[in-house]
């Protein structure tokens, strides 16, 4: 499978706006099932972190006071990622913040997002639930650090993506995998995924 950039944001809320911004980003570059590069930074967007978010993530207002400006971080991470296809766990969330933060520096996303959450729902139906930590424990994947910190979560999502790729090859007999294929599979109804995958065997 080609190079994929797996990203994770920590934020001050759920929907990006002038009052709800990213506080940290982590990016892991996955190539042929291996992590080959990483990027991580706190980012100061000039908004206050609510108390419950600080408790969840461990990211405090004091930490962000000395963090680099969000604009600088997004310019750096945009250069780091380039046109590499994107992946995230619950990608709808991270995509919103990626697009919003890029928009503030007058940049536009050029590539699609694949979603390891949607893929896991189809390829790991016996998991207790499809939260990132649960899936990693269920698949006995490496512990990457504190949950709800961007780089640790990005690494977990990258390890999960590599695991899903192995499942597609080993269990379902797919020879060639691509980001485009992952994007198409996540749209297939879960009940029809096995039938759909049969069409791709041997390719």
């Amino acid at each position: 499978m080609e190079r994929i950039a797996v990203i994770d944001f920590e934020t001050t809320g759920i929907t990006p706006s002038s009052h709800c911004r990213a506080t940290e980003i982590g990016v892991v570059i996955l190539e042929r099932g291996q992590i080959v590069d990483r990027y991580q930074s706190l980012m100061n967007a000039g908004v206050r972190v609510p108390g419950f978010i600080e408790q969840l993530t461990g990211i405090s207002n004091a930490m962000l006071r000395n963090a680099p400006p969000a604009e600088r971080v997004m310019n750096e991470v945009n250069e780091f990622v380039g046109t590499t296809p994107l992946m995230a766990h619950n990608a709808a969330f991270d995509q919103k913040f990626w697009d919003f933060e890029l928009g503030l520096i007058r940049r536009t996303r050029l590539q699609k997002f694949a979603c390891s959450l949607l893929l896991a729902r189809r390829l790991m139906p016996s998991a207790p639930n499809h939260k990132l930590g649960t899936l990693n424990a269920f698949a006995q994947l490496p512990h990457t650090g504190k949950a709800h910190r961007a780089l640790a979560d990005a690494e977990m999502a990258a390890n999960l993506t590599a695991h899903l790729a192995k499942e597609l090859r080993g269990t379902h007999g797919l020879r060639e995998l691509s980001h485009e294929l992952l994007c198409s599979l996540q749209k297939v109804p879960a009940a029809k995924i096995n039938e759909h995958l049969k069409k791709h065997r041997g390719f």
Side-chain angles (χ1 to χ4, degrees):
M1 189 163 60
E2 80 261 46
R3 189 177 172 95
I4 291 177
V6 185
I7 77 166
D8 185 83
F9 279 105
E10 298 305 326
T11 69
T12 61
I14 294 173
T15 303
S17 70
S18 58
H19 302 292
C20 178
R21 298 286 299 278
T23 56
E24 185 180 38
I25 186 168
V27 182
V28 172
I29 303 296
L30 192 64
E31 208 168 83
R32 296 180 183 177
Q34 300 295 319
I35 293 172
V36 297
D37 209 352
R38 296 171 174 84
Y39 177 96
Q40 178 275 333
S41 182
L42 292 170
M43 46 201 296
N44 184 352
V47 297
R48 185 161 184 80
V49 180
F52 74 96
I53 295 289
E54 183 176 337
Q55 287 186 339
L56 178 69
T57 65
I59 298 171
S60 67
N61 289 292
M63 289 165 66
L64 293 182
R65 210 167 291 131
N66 298 315
E71 293 81 3
R72 186 200 307 170
V73 173
M74 287 306 299
N75 272 299
E76 285 181 1
V77 75
N78 189 52
E79 290 299 315
F80 178 77
V81 169
T83 57
T84 304
L86 293 165
M87 166 79 77
H89 197 75
N90 189 19
F93 173 84
D94 294 282
Q95 180 179 315
K96 282 189 301 186
F97 279 90
W98 181 262
D99 290 349
F100 182 82
E101 296 291 346
L102 275 188
L104 293 177
I105 60 167
R106 299 179 183 176
R107 302 288 184 93
T108 303
R109 173 171 53 90
L110 301 174
Q111 63 272 63
K112 293 180 182 178
F113 264 90
C115 180
S116 56
L117 170 61
L118 295 178
L119 289 165
R121 284 178 177 162
R122 287 150 178 78
L123 300 174
M124 299 173 69
S126 57
N129 61 59
H130 293 90
K131 294 179 181 177
L132 185 55
T134 304
L135 291 167
N136 272 257
F138 181 75
Q140 299 182 318
L141 299 173
H143 179 67
T144 60
K146 179 178 171 24
H148 301 296
R149 288 303 300 267
L151 188 59
D153 284 355
E155 288 193 15
M156 272 202 288
N159 289 335
L160 177 61
T161 300
H163 175 77
L164 294 172
K166 284 181 184 175
E167 283 288 300
L168 286 167
R169 287 194 184 93
T171 304
H172 298 285
L174 273 65
R175 292 181 192 169
E176 296 296 328
L177 299 179
S178 67
H179 184 267
E180 190 68 34
L181 176 62
L182 298 182
C183 288
S184 70
L185 290 179
Q186 68 193 30
K187 297 175 184 175
V188 177
K192 296 184 177 179
I193 193 69
N194 287 329
E195 177 188 338
H196 184 82
L197 285 168
K198 284 178 185 177
K199 299 173 186 176
H200 291 276
R201 282 180 189 158
F203 291 96

